[in-house]
Amino acid sequence: MLTTNPFDPNGLDGDKLREECGVFGIWGVDNAAGFVTLGLHALQHRGQEAAGITSYDAGQFHSHRAMGHVAGNFDRDDVIRMLAGRAAIGHVRYSTAGGPGIRNAQPLFAELAEGGFAIGQNGNLSNAMKLRRTLNRQGSIFQSTSDTEVIIHLVATSERSNMLDRLTDALKQVEGAYSLVVLTPEGLIACRDPLGFRPLVMGKLGEATIFASETVALDVVGARYLRDVEPGELVLVNDDGIRSFSPFEKVAPRPCIFEHIYFSRPDSIADGMSVYEVRKSIGAELARESPVDVDYVVPVPDSGVPAAIGYAQASGIPFELGIIRSHYVGRTFIQPSHDGRLQGVKLKHNANSALIDGKSIVLIDDSIVRGTTSVKLVQMMRDAGAREVHMRIASPPTRHCCFYGVDTPERAKLLAAQMNVDQMRDYINADSLAFISIEGLYRALGEERDPAQPQRCDACFTGAYPTVLTDLNEKDGGSSLSLVASR
Ligand code: AMP
């Protein structure tokens, strides 16, 4: 049975998807762009719409950006030869359905009065529109609709004398989430916003210094993890060494909790914790909070697998692969339309009917956003002969939009913003449905949630946004242009 979404009866999901991103930067090694290519391969899950690399070689910048995956676009001799130099930064970018494509691909580059400036961002600035309007009025001419370009114009118009100070000046004016890699003739700069929304790690490969969104990108080049770039820290690397700066007022960090649930790769270490182990712990908590008597625990591959292992281990119910995933299809969200997503789900997952037939199962997924995936998969399990299909979700209901770099549709399309859990269970046609509690989620991270001052950004579940949302609040007063974020 294909249920019609009452909030999108025509199935025409015209909302603009925002993107998440991954960044990588390296200073001090021959053929730096080759290392960036490898790093971007490992970060490909963070963005599949476009990729780009900018290198710096003896006073010259070289840049290549392409739509699509790293494979095929960057692991080519001609491209890597063109991207000469001992320093380079790279970026992978998530889907923006209907977005302007290549002109928003990063790294963005500008020739400033003081020399070249290349920037790659993971995050989303929540006052970019307001700043852009002011800059426009002052004569800035924008080349893209990316929020990251605002930073370039703020750097360009800063009165400070060196790039690091100009960047600091710029960043003091922006609000929201940014983990940045910046390449200038003065060195490679990495920076994380004061709340540390998005991850950024630092590593060493011989003499070379590396920054990357996740530790998997260090692993792939054989680099050693040194430490996280701290929230509010700027690190400058050049041939004189590594220097750290903390120019912002210190605030309690609020790293994104969703990185642990879905976004980071399970083999990464995030906030000092194994993403895989955390996901297993979430599954174990879920089993304790919402047990169910079934034959098999079945993960929604791949994102539900670690939580399903945890659920199976804690409950003693066998873990089985009841859904097989084709690895030749991208993430469901990359599909630009609702219809496209339905197709994508069909292409991506198939029932292991021989296993499922006549059995009761609990499906484990990391999250329900629009509900499209759950509707399809529950039905797929029923069509395969499942006797009972229960569903357990390794995150609390996603009730609020993210303005800090994780792709969420507008609030009206978030299933949990429109329905309570019983209604959602009926909508997805499951025998039972349960989500982990917010407290259980923090427990899985080894923490106790402080409701007055949560240790993490969990706004997608709670609505407790850690910053003012300037652009959102001023929406009606602004222009009709909507900026795309650099997630
Ligand atoms: P939906 O079908 O809209 O309910 O989306 C839920 C599915 O999308 C889950 O299986 C997740 O693994 C995946 N997902 C959740 N959040 C995101 C995100 N921000 N970007 C891409 N995929 C996501």
Side-chain angles (χ1 to χ4, degrees):
M1 183 193 68
L2 186 71
T3 321
T4 304
N5 183 338
F7 307 103
D8 185 18
N10 301 320
L12 294 171
D13 197 351
D15 64 309
K16 201 166 163 185
L17 295 186
R18 306 199 186 94
E19 80 272 34
E20 292 115 334
C21 291
V23 296
F24 189 96
I26 185 164
W27 181 277
V29 68
D30 287 338
N31 183 26
F35 290 92
V36 178
T37 300
L38 290 172
L40 293 184
H41 266 292
L43 298 174
Q44 188 77 82
H45 61 288
R46 298 185 72 87
Q48 295 130 34
E49 186 206 34
I53 298 180
T54 301
S55 69
Y56 179 65
D57 183 32
Q60 287 284 327
F61 284 86
H62 307 280
S63 212
H64 183 64
R65 297 180 299 166
M67 299 305 292
H69 288 192
V70 178
N73 281 312
F74 287 88
D75 41 13
R76 291 171 29 190
D77 281 350
D78 56 331
V79 171
I80 296 299
R81 255 199 311 276
M82 187 271 288
L83 294 167
R86 289 175 56 79
I89 60 171
H91 188 266
V92 283
R93 181 183 136 87
Y94 212 78
S95 162
T96 47
I102 196 73
R103 73 180 168 136
N104 284 330
Q106 298 191 21
L108 297 180
F109 177 77
E111 283 292 356
L112 306 184
E114 306 67 31
F117 183 94
I119 182 168
Q121 181 193 354
N122 173 205
N124 179 38
L125 307 181
S126 44
N127 66 340
M129 296 259 272
K130 183 176 183 181
L131 290 168
R132 186 173 163 129
R133 279 197 294 274
T134 309
L135 286 159
N136 269 153
R137 277 198 295 272
Q138 291 166 353
S140 290
I141 297 168
F142 282 78
Q143 305 286 329
S144 74
T145 54
S146 161
D147 62 339
T148 308
E149 198 183 345
V150 168
I151 298 176
I152 298 186
H153 288 274
L154 292 173
V155 171
T157 50
S158 166
E159 312 243 295
R160 307 291 292 274
S161 58
N162 63 53
M163 287 289 198
L164 188 90
D165 288 347
R166 296 171 84 95
L167 178 63
T168 306
D169 214 15
L171 295 178
K172 285 189 171 168
Q173 299 171 66
V174 305
E175 294 163 1
Y178 53 86
S179 281
L180 304 176
V181 287
V182 173
L183 194 56
T184 79
E186 293 169 24
L188 169 65
I189 304 168
C191 177
R192 220 170 146 199
D193 66 74
L195 290 159
F197 283 104
R198 309 255 68 88
L200 193 61
V201 299
M202 187 171 168
K204 277 301 234 185
L205 178 69
E207 292 302 301
T209 304
I210 298 178
F211 300 99
S213 293
E214 292 183 41
T215 58
V216 284
L218 301 179
D219 297 344
V220 76
V221 297
R224 180 170 52 89
Y225 166 78
L226 214 56
R227 64 178 179 85
D228 285 13
V229 174
E230 296 298 324
E233 182 184 6
L234 273 92
V235 185
L236 170 67
V237 183
N238 53 30
D239 291 341
D240 297 333
I242 303 173
R243 273 177 295 162
S244 163
F245 304 85
S246 301
F248 307 108
E249 200 183 310
K250 262 225 147 349
V251 288
R254 300 282 290 273
C256 166
I257 206 160
F258 203 67
E259 288 279 346
H260 288 276
I261 293 164
Y262 170 79
F263 208 45
S264 291
R265 244 171 68 163
D267 44 342
S268 278
I269 308 291
D271 309 323
M273 282 176 274
S274 153
V275 174
Y276 179 73
E277 290 301 332
V278 166
R279 286 185 191 165
K280 268 174 52 183
S281 303
I282 297 173
E285 279 291 336
L286 194 51
R288 282 189 280 274
E289 283 187 357
S290 301
V292 59
D293 185 14
V294 287
D295 296 320
Y296 299 139
V297 175
V298 171
V300 174
D302 292 322
S303 48
V305 171
I309 294 173
Y311 194 100
Q313 288 177 354
S315 63
I317 301 168
F319 170 96
E320 291 286 2
L321 296 181
I323 301 169
I324 303 300
R325 174 182 168 179
S326 163
H327 282 101
Y328 304 99
V329 186
R331 284 187 167 192
T332 318
F333 262 46
I334 212 164
Q335 300 291 338
S337 72
H338 189 73
D339 284 347
R341 264 193 303 277
L342 290 178
Q343 278 302 325
V345 173
K346 266 189 231 158
L347 273 175
K348 198 162 129 177
H349 297 119
N350 191 33
N352 183 1
S353 308
L355 176 90
I356 297 300
D357 195 13
K359 296 292 191 291
S360 60
I361 60 165
V362 58
L363 283 181
I364 313 283
D365 202 358
D366 62 279
S367 56
I368 292 181
V369 183
R370 296 172 180 82
T372 318
T373 308
S374 313
V375 166
K376 290 294 299 180
L377 293 180
V378 170
Q379 191 55 41
M380 193 182 280
M381 296 297 97
R382 295 202 186 283
D383 291 345
R387 203 157 33 80
E388 285 172 34
V389 184
H390 302 265
M391 190 130 196
R392 298 290 178 270
I393 304 297
S395 60
T398 302
R399 293 205 171 95
H400 305 270
C401 298
C402 177
F403 299 100
Y404 305 121
V406 171
D407 166 31
T408 43
E410 65 189 69
R411 192 146 191 246
K413 299 207 172 91
L414 294 175
L415 200 63
Q418 307 298 332
M419 298 182 185
N420 63 32
V421 175
D422 286 344
Q423 290 168 322
M424 289 172 82
R425 180 203 57 221
D426 292 346
Y427 177 73
I428 68 169
N429 192 23
D431 291 283
S432 75
L433 170 68
F435 295 78
I436 193 164
S437 65
I438 189 80
E439 294 78 18
L441 177 59
Y442 273 78
R443 267 198 304 280
L445 286 152
E447 295 164 8
E448 191 183 334
R449 184 174 189 270
D450 176 356
Q453 176 69 32
Q455 300 87 320
R456 296 176 179 275
C457 179
D458 52 25
C460 48
F461 309 128
T462 61
Y465 294 103
T467 69
V468 283
L469 299 171
T470 302
D471 286 342
L472 188 78
N473 296 339
E474 295 186 6
K475 207 169 181 180
D476 297 334
S479 74
S480 57
L481 173 75
S482 73
L483 294 188
V484 294
S486 304
R487 297 153 202 248

